[in-house]
Every structure is written in C-alpha cells, then in structure tokens.
Amino acid sequence: MAVSYAGLTLRHGDHDLKRRFGGAMRRDVQGNPVADLQRDLAQVGLSVGTPDGAFGGGTQRILAVLQAALRLGAQLQGPTGERRAEEPLAARQDGVLDAVTTAALGRLIDAGAVLTGWLLRQPVAALAATRTGAGFDRLPHPDVAKGELVLDAAFLPDLRALDGAAAARGLIILVNQVFRRQGDAVSGAIVPPSTRSQHLIGHALDLNLMDGRVVNNSALQIAGKWTPAAKDFAAHAMGLGLRWGAKFSPTDPVHFDRRVDAGAALWDAKFLLNQQQLRAKQPIPLAV
C-alpha cells in the first residue's frame, strides 16, 4: 500500500501532538503523519529512534540521507537477501518530505526492501602493483576474505588508477587502510583521525610506497627524502583530482582521498549506509 502522510509536505518543526504540519497549524489532518514517516524510515533501514511524532533534526538528517541515496542510486536488499540498484532519482536533499520522496519511500516499503551501502570488495591479487601492508587489518564480515580491500564503489576507479600509476613507475603500493569501521583504533596514525574522515565512507587510501628496498613512508616524506618515483606518483594522484595528505595541516603524507563534503547529505548517506552494510553483515559484492 502506498504511503501518503495525508498528502502533506512535512518539514523540520512539524509535530503530531501540536498538529503542526508543513510549517503551519493544520487541525484538520487525521492521524499522526510524522510518526508514520518515522516508522516507515525505520522499516527501510533508516531508524530515527523512537517514533515520537516530532520532526526534529534527527528526522531531518535521516530523511536527507534517504534523499541523497535516491539521487546517487539507492542500493537495496530485498526480503530474501537479494541486492539490486535503483536508477538515480532527482530527489531533493534537504530533509523536507515532498511528493517525490513520499512516492519513492512507498515503493521501497511495497517491495519489502531495506537500504544498504555502496561497499565493494577488491582483491589485491587482481591488481598489478598493490599489496596489503604489515599493519593492514581485514574487516570483520563473512564476505571479506584475506587480501581483499573494502571500499566505496565510487572510489574503486581511483584505487585502480593509483595501482596503474604505481606499476608504471616501478612502485609497489602497501595498503594500510581503505574503509574504516567506526570506532576502530587507528594504529600508527601520525595525526588524530577525523570524526568525519573519508575513510569512514570508503573514499580514502593510506599507503606506503615501496621503491626497490626503499619504503616511502610518512617519516621519509617529512624528511624530504621520498624517491623521485614516489614524488611523481603523488603528483600524478593530485592530477587525477585526488587529495594528498602531505598538503594537509597537520600533514599526513601517506593519505590519498576522493573528497566528499563532510557536511553534505551525501557524506551522511555513505557513512550511515556503508557502516551499516558492514555492521549488519549485509552482502558486500565483489568488484568487477
């Protein structure tokens, strides 16, 4: 059955008990549309906590996460565990419930689907010049095998481009970390890990670069002693539009990422759904 929420455009500040809907007092509305929305969001895997009928900042953020996922192309898990991808939808991303978002949410509920993340598995054995480093930890998930990197699908072309750049320069990439599980300690970090890191959405790579017997690591770069091939690799990465942590303050020379604005709904969507994909042990497909 399609959802309707009394045909209302719901927004921050609306409240069932106060009969405030669409930013105005509406005493003729039947039922509790805000609480209904909160329950429906939870049904598709986006819990806002107790459905209290108060459209606060948490409900607004979770609704914006749904909208960002719809714009990107939502990844869904069906009632029997099957995965499928939705076509991108021109949805708003401001956490205001409009007719487009209402219809899309109704379709998900009718299909019995829950949202999942965009994580993929990339075996290092399928890459030309990439290996896992000594400090690399395999993520705890039944799909993830030894020697597999977990990353967001949008970062996969960057990883493969960096692998090709390393191979062309006679380098070996030793991967320390790609996707990071929220709350995990970061061993060997030279800067305090950001609470809104690109690693938390699978858009970053920490590495050392082997050039023959030379390990181009943070200490060597800070000392100005990276080999010419390693310096050229970093310059090439920036030419691809990636950020290099050596340009950060404080500096983090072994870090490369494809930045998603950490204040945007898209970052929130990738963070919540990718972390949930790992935590809830939803399937993580093999990259093709």
Side-chain angles (χ1 to χ4, degrees), residues 1 3 20 22 29 35 40 48 52 83 85 128 137 140 159 167 169 187 223 239 249 265 284:
M1 180 182 296
V3 297
R20 179 181 176 87
V29 173
D40 288 343
V48 299
D52 57 7
R83 282 179 59 96
D137 291 326
L159 174 71
R169 291 160 178 78
S187 60
S249 181
I284 301 178

mmCIF file of all heavy atoms in Angstrom, residues 1 3 20 22 29 35 40 48 52 83 85 128 137 140 159 167 169 187 223 239 249 265 284:
data_model
loop_
_atom_site.group_PDB
_atom_site.id
_atom_site.type_symbol
_atom_site.label_atom_id
_atom_site.label_comp_id
_atom_site.label_asym_id
_atom_site.label_seq_id
_atom_site.Cartn_x
_atom_site.Cartn_y
_atom_site.Cartn_z
ATOM 1 N N MET A 1 0.848 -1.194 0.000
ATOM 2 C CA MET A 1 0.000 0.000 0.000
ATOM 3 C C MET A 1 0.885 1.245 0.000
ATOM 4 O O MET A 1 1.825 1.349 0.788
ATOM 5 C CB MET A 1 -0.911 0.016 1.231
ATOM 6 C CG MET A 1 -1.825 1.226 1.310
ATOM 7 S SD MET A 1 -2.833 1.231 2.807
ATOM 8 C CE MET A 1 -3.810 -0.244 2.530
ATOM 9 N N VAL A 3 2.311 4.921 0.669
ATOM 10 C CA VAL A 3 2.230 5.839 1.809
ATOM 11 C C VAL A 3 1.807 7.209 1.295
ATOM 12 O O VAL A 3 2.007 7.547 0.125
ATOM 13 C CB VAL A 3 3.584 5.928 2.526
ATOM 14 C CG1 VAL A 3 3.965 4.583 3.107
ATOM 15 C CG2 VAL A 3 4.682 6.420 1.584
ATOM 16 N N ARG A 20 0.975 20.502 14.021
ATOM 17 C CA ARG A 20 1.707 21.437 13.155
ATOM 18 C C ARG A 20 2.299 20.627 12.005
ATOM 19 O O ARG A 20 3.130 19.738 12.228
ATOM 20 C CB ARG A 20 2.822 22.136 13.935
ATOM 21 C CG ARG A 20 3.645 23.111 13.091
ATOM 22 C CD ARG A 20 4.759 23.740 13.934
ATOM 23 N NE ARG A 20 5.610 24.599 13.120
ATOM 24 C CZ ARG A 20 5.357 25.880 12.873
ATOM 25 N NH1 ARG A 20 4.287 26.445 13.404
ATOM 26 N NH2 ARG A 20 6.165 26.591 12.126
ATOM 27 N N GLY A 22 3.696 20.889 7.733
ATOM 28 C CA GLY A 22 4.069 21.763 6.630
ATOM 29 C C GLY A 22 4.444 23.155 7.103
ATOM 30 O O GLY A 22 4.369 24.117 6.349
ATOM 31 N N VAL A 29 -6.022 17.550 9.942
ATOM 32 C CA VAL A 29 -5.279 16.369 9.492
ATOM 33 C C VAL A 29 -5.613 15.185 10.388
ATOM 34 O O VAL A 29 -5.602 15.290 11.616
ATOM 35 C CB VAL A 29 -3.770 16.649 9.511
ATOM 36 C CG1 VAL A 29 -2.987 15.379 9.215
ATOM 37 C CG2 VAL A 29 -3.428 17.736 8.501
ATOM 38 N N ALA A 35 4.885 10.626 12.916
ATOM 39 C CA ALA A 35 5.229 9.322 13.491
ATOM 40 C C ALA A 35 5.165 8.225 12.434
ATOM 41 O O ALA A 35 6.002 7.302 12.425
ATOM 42 C CB ALA A 35 4.306 9.005 14.657
ATOM 43 N N ASP A 40 8.142 4.436 8.967
ATOM 44 C CA ASP A 40 8.434 3.962 7.613
ATOM 45 C C ASP A 40 9.919 4.085 7.285
ATOM 46 O O ASP A 40 10.478 3.215 6.601
ATOM 47 C CB ASP A 40 7.598 4.735 6.599
ATOM 48 C CG ASP A 40 6.116 4.340 6.652
ATOM 49 O OD1 ASP A 40 5.809 3.274 7.212
ATOM 50 O OD2 ASP A 40 5.280 5.115 6.138
ATOM 51 N N VAL A 48 15.201 6.506 13.134
ATOM 52 C CA VAL A 48 15.403 7.802 13.789
ATOM 53 C C VAL A 48 15.200 7.662 15.286
ATOM 54 O O VAL A 48 15.085 8.660 15.991
ATOM 55 C CB VAL A 48 14.432 8.866 13.224
ATOM 56 C CG1 VAL A 48 14.670 9.071 11.749
ATOM 57 C CG2 VAL A 48 12.976 8.483 13.486
ATOM 58 N N ASP A 52 8.389 9.474 17.780
ATOM 59 C CA ASP A 52 7.707 10.320 18.757
ATOM 60 C C ASP A 52 6.791 11.367 18.135
ATOM 61 O O ASP A 52 6.166 12.155 18.842
ATOM 62 C CB ASP A 52 8.731 11.011 19.661
ATOM 63 C CG ASP A 52 9.747 11.844 18.879
ATOM 64 O OD1 ASP A 52 9.594 11.994 17.642
ATOM 65 O OD2 ASP A 52 10.699 12.351 19.502
ATOM 66 N N ARG A 83 20.156 -8.401 -3.794
ATOM 67 C CA ARG A 83 20.525 -6.996 -3.948
ATOM 68 C C ARG A 83 20.073 -6.481 -5.307
ATOM 69 O O ARG A 83 20.074 -7.220 -6.288
ATOM 70 C CB ARG A 83 22.054 -6.804 -3.855
ATOM 71 C CG ARG A 83 22.631 -6.826 -2.459
ATOM 72 C CD ARG A 83 24.145 -6.646 -2.517
ATOM 73 N NE ARG A 83 24.514 -5.397 -3.146
ATOM 74 C CZ ARG A 83 24.786 -4.272 -2.478
ATOM 75 N NH1 ARG A 83 24.732 -4.251 -1.167
ATOM 76 N NH2 ARG A 83 25.128 -3.164 -3.121
ATOM 77 N N ALA A 85 20.034 -2.425 -7.585
ATOM 78 C CA ALA A 85 20.343 -0.997 -7.588
ATOM 79 C C ALA A 85 19.216 -0.229 -8.248
ATOM 80 O O ALA A 85 18.703 -0.644 -9.290
ATOM 81 C CB ALA A 85 21.652 -0.736 -8.333
ATOM 82 N N ALA A 128 47.847 -4.903 -10.181
ATOM 83 C CA ALA A 128 49.204 -5.123 -10.685
ATOM 84 C C ALA A 128 50.280 -4.798 -9.665
ATOM 85 O O ALA A 128 51.311 -5.482 -9.607
ATOM 86 C CB ALA A 128 49.420 -4.282 -11.948
ATOM 87 N N ASP A 137 44.465 -4.552 8.493
ATOM 88 C CA ASP A 137 43.544 -5.441 9.203
ATOM 89 C C ASP A 137 42.352 -5.774 8.315
ATOM 90 O O ASP A 137 41.713 -4.867 7.767
ATOM 91 C CB ASP A 137 43.032 -4.775 10.493
ATOM 92 C CG ASP A 137 44.122 -4.634 11.542
ATOM 93 O OD1 ASP A 137 44.990 -5.527 11.607
ATOM 94 O OD2 ASP A 137 44.108 -3.630 12.277
ATOM 95 N N PRO A 140 35.854 -7.285 9.714
ATOM 96 C CA PRO A 140 35.069 -8.421 10.195
ATOM 97 C C PRO A 140 33.727 -8.533 9.477
ATOM 98 O O PRO A 140 32.743 -7.900 9.856
ATOM 99 C CB PRO A 140 34.884 -8.102 11.682
ATOM 100 C CG PRO A 140 34.904 -6.602 11.744
ATOM 101 C CD PRO A 140 35.854 -6.151 10.666
ATOM 102 N N LEU A 159 41.264 3.838 -6.941
ATOM 103 C CA LEU A 159 42.198 2.810 -6.476
ATOM 104 C C LEU A 159 42.889 2.146 -7.657
ATOM 105 O O LEU A 159 44.114 1.947 -7.649
ATOM 106 C CB LEU A 159 41.443 1.763 -5.653
ATOM 107 C CG LEU A 159 42.272 0.549 -5.226
ATOM 108 C CD1 LEU A 159 43.286 0.935 -4.170
ATOM 109 C CD2 LEU A 159 41.379 -0.581 -4.728
ATOM 110 N N ALA A 167 52.400 0.888 -10.870
ATOM 111 C CA ALA A 167 53.024 -0.098 -11.760
ATOM 112 C C ALA A 167 53.867 0.591 -12.820
ATOM 113 O O ALA A 167 54.979 0.139 -13.149
ATOM 114 C CB ALA A 167 51.951 -0.966 -12.404
ATOM 115 N N ARG A 169 55.522 3.201 -12.605
ATOM 116 C CA ARG A 169 56.721 3.813 -12.013
ATOM 117 C C ARG A 169 57.578 2.811 -11.250
ATOM 118 O O ARG A 169 58.513 3.191 -10.554
ATOM 119 C CB ARG A 169 56.289 4.965 -11.085
ATOM 120 C CG ARG A 169 55.711 6.144 -11.862
ATOM 121 C CD ARG A 169 54.864 7.057 -10.992
ATOM 122 N NE ARG A 169 54.383 8.196 -11.770
ATOM 123 C CZ ARG A 169 53.362 8.158 -12.621
ATOM 124 N NH1 ARG A 169 52.714 7.007 -12.805
ATOM 125 N NH2 ARG A 169 52.993 9.215 -13.295
ATOM 126 N N SER A 187 45.979 2.313 14.191
ATOM 127 C CA SER A 187 47.348 2.055 14.616
ATOM 128 C C SER A 187 48.324 2.818 13.736
ATOM 129 O O SER A 187 48.159 2.897 12.517
ATOM 130 C CB SER A 187 47.655 0.554 14.557
ATOM 131 O OG SER A 187 47.503 0.070 13.241
ATOM 132 N N ALA A 223 60.856 14.168 6.013
ATOM 133 C CA ALA A 223 62.285 14.489 5.942
ATOM 134 C C ALA A 223 62.714 14.938 4.551
ATOM 135 O O ALA A 223 63.880 15.293 4.342
ATOM 136 C CB ALA A 223 63.105 13.274 6.368
ATOM 137 N N GLY A 239 46.911 15.105 -9.855
ATOM 138 C CA GLY A 239 46.444 15.413 -11.197
ATOM 139 C C GLY A 239 45.147 14.703 -11.548
ATOM 140 O O GLY A 239 44.401 15.170 -12.415
ATOM 141 N N SER A 249 47.129 20.175 6.846
ATOM 142 C CA SER A 249 47.750 20.701 8.065
ATOM 143 C C SER A 249 46.922 20.241 9.261
ATOM 144 O O SER A 249 45.755 20.659 9.394
ATOM 145 C CB SER A 249 47.811 22.231 8.022
ATOM 146 O OG SER A 249 48.431 22.732 9.189
ATOM 147 N N ALA A 265 24.705 15.938 2.761
ATOM 148 C CA ALA A 265 23.843 14.771 2.947
ATOM 149 C C ALA A 265 24.451 13.531 2.305
ATOM 150 O O ALA A 265 24.251 12.410 2.798
ATOM 151 C CB ALA A 265 22.455 15.044 2.368
ATOM 152 N N ILE A 284 28.463 -7.742 0.721
ATOM 153 C CA ILE A 284 29.428 -6.824 0.102
ATOM 154 C C ILE A 284 29.884 -7.496 -1.193
ATOM 155 O O ILE A 284 30.658 -8.453 -1.162
ATOM 156 C CB ILE A 284 30.625 -6.527 1.014
ATOM 157 C CG1 ILE A 284 30.155 -5.908 2.329
ATOM 158 C CG2 ILE A 284 31.608 -5.595 0.301
ATOM 159 C CD1 ILE A 284 31.292 -5.620 3.312
#
